[in-house]
């Protein structure tokens, strides 16, 4: 709220526009950071689901290899032994592939988690900055209100004194006793 009328502004009011822009910018950044956190949480959850799926597939191949080893004794004949070796090799290859996929999924989950942590830190920093800006704005508004109240009180006191002095000057001709009374009350000197 400008203190002066017209194109002039009080010095204390000229900084208001900067604070408002800064507060709005911080609020916008905070909203963007919160949106980033939500997006990263969703990505992190999806990465964890994929990680679990891949681990389950890896476990299936691990179990298949165990089952093939258990049935090895049953495949004593040459033809069955070759089939067993082929099945075992295929299962081992798939297990290696799934192990690599699990490692990749683990890295992706960790990357998403780290990004999520950083985004949360950013939200906390921006929230603290927004809170500090709000407190600063509240303090500034309170100081302005006090200054305006003081100005109004001084203006009222000045008007009252001027009114009393005006009365005393006009009543001087009405009698010396009134003039003396006003001097005693320290209204005029």
């Amino acid at each position: 709220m400008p203190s002066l009328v017209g194109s002039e502004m009080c010095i204390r009011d000229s900084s208001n526009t900067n604070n408002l822009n800064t507060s709005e910018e911080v609020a916008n950044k905070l909203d963007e950071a919160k949106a980033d956190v939500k997006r990263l949480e969703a990505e992190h959850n999806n990465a964890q689901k994929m990680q679990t799926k891949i681990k389950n597939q890896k476990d299936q191949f691990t179990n298949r290899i165990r089952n093939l080893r258990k049935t090895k004794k049953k495949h004593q004949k040459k033809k069955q032994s070759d089939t067993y070796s082929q099945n075992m090799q295929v299962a081992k290859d798939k297990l290696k592939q799934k192990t690599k996929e699990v490692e990749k999924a683990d890295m992706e989950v960790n990357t998403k988690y780290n990004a999520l942590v950083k985004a949360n830190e950013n939200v906390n920093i921006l929230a603290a900055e927004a809170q500090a800006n709000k407190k600063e704005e509240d303090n500034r508004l309170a100081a302005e209100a006090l200054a305006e109240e003081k100005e109004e009180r001084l203006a009222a006191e000045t008007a009252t004194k001027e009114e009393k002095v005006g009365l005393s000057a006009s009543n001087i001709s009405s009698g010396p006793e009134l003039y003396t009374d006003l001097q005693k009350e320290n209204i005029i000197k």
Side-chain angles (χ1 to χ4, degrees), residues 5-71:
V5 179
S7 61
E8 298 176 349
M9 281 183 72
C10 183
I11 293 173
R12 71 167 187 242
D13 296 328
S14 65
S15 64
N16 290 354
T17 56
N18 294 337
N19 287 340
L20 291 176
N21 289 338
T22 302
S23 296
E24 288 176 15
E25 289 172 3
V26 170
N28 289 339
K29 287 179 183 179
L30 181 59
D31 290 341
E32 290 174 11
K34 286 180 180 178
D36 283 345
V37 167
K38 286 183 180 181
R39 180 184 53 80
L40 290 170
E41 284 175 343
E43 288 179 7
H44 180 256
N45 290 337
N46 289 338
Q48 283 182 317
K49 288 176 185 175
M50 182 59 76
Q51 177 189 35
T52 302
K53 181 180 176 183
I54 292 170
K55 283 183 178 181
N56 289 340
Q57 291 173 348
K58 177 185 172 189
D59 292 343
Q60 288 174 352
F61 287 109
T62 302
N63 290 336
R64 185 167 182 196
I65 289 173
R66 283 188 196 128
N67 290 337
L68 285 171
R69 286 182 182 151
K70 288 178 185 176
T71 60

Side-chain angles (χ1 to χ4, degrees), residues 106-119:
D106 287 344
M107 286 176 51
E108 185 174 348
V109 167
N110 289 337
T111 301
K112 299 288 183 187
Y113 178 77
N114 290 336
L116 181 59
V117 167
K118 286 181 182 178

Side-chain angles (χ1 to χ4, degrees), residues 61-167:
F61 287 109
T62 302
N63 290 336
R64 185 167 182 196
I65 289 173
R66 283 188 196 128
N67 290 337
L68 285 171
R69 286 182 182 151
K70 288 178 185 176
T71 60
K72 183 178 180 181
K73 293 179 183 177
K74 294 180 183 177
H75 301 288
Q76 295 298 325
K77 296 181 183 174
K78 175 77 172 150
K79 194 172 191 180
Q80 289 177 341
S81 181
D82 288 343
T83 303
Y84 165 80
S85 296
Q86 289 172 351
N87 288 342
M88 182 62 87
Q89 190 58 47
V90 168
K92 284 181 178 179
D93 291 344
K94 287 186 178 180
L95 180 62
K96 284 180 186 177
Q97 178 186 354
K98 291 299 174 184
T99 301
K100 288 179 183 178
E101 288 178 20
V102 167
E103 290 171 358
K104 184 178 177 182
D106 287 344
M107 286 176 51
E108 185 174 348
V109 167
N110 289 337
T111 301
K112 299 288 183 187
Y113 178 77
N114 290 336
L116 181 59
V117 167
K118 286 181 182 178
N120 275 321
E121 288 173 356
N122 191 29
V123 165
N124 292 337
I125 289 168
L126 289 171
E129 187 175 340
Q131 186 177 11
N133 283 350
K134 175 143 179 39
K135 187 175 182 179
E136 181 181 316
E137 179 71 11
D138 290 346
N139 289 341
R140 186 188 57 75
L141 290 173
E144 284 180 5
L146 287 174
E148 287 176 12
E149 184 180 314
K150 185 177 179 181
E151 286 175 15
E152 289 172 1
R153 197 173 346 111
L154 287 173
E157 288 174 6
T158 303
T160 304
K161 286 181 181 179
E162 286 175 357
E163 186 177 294
K164 288 180 180 178
V165 169
L167 272 173

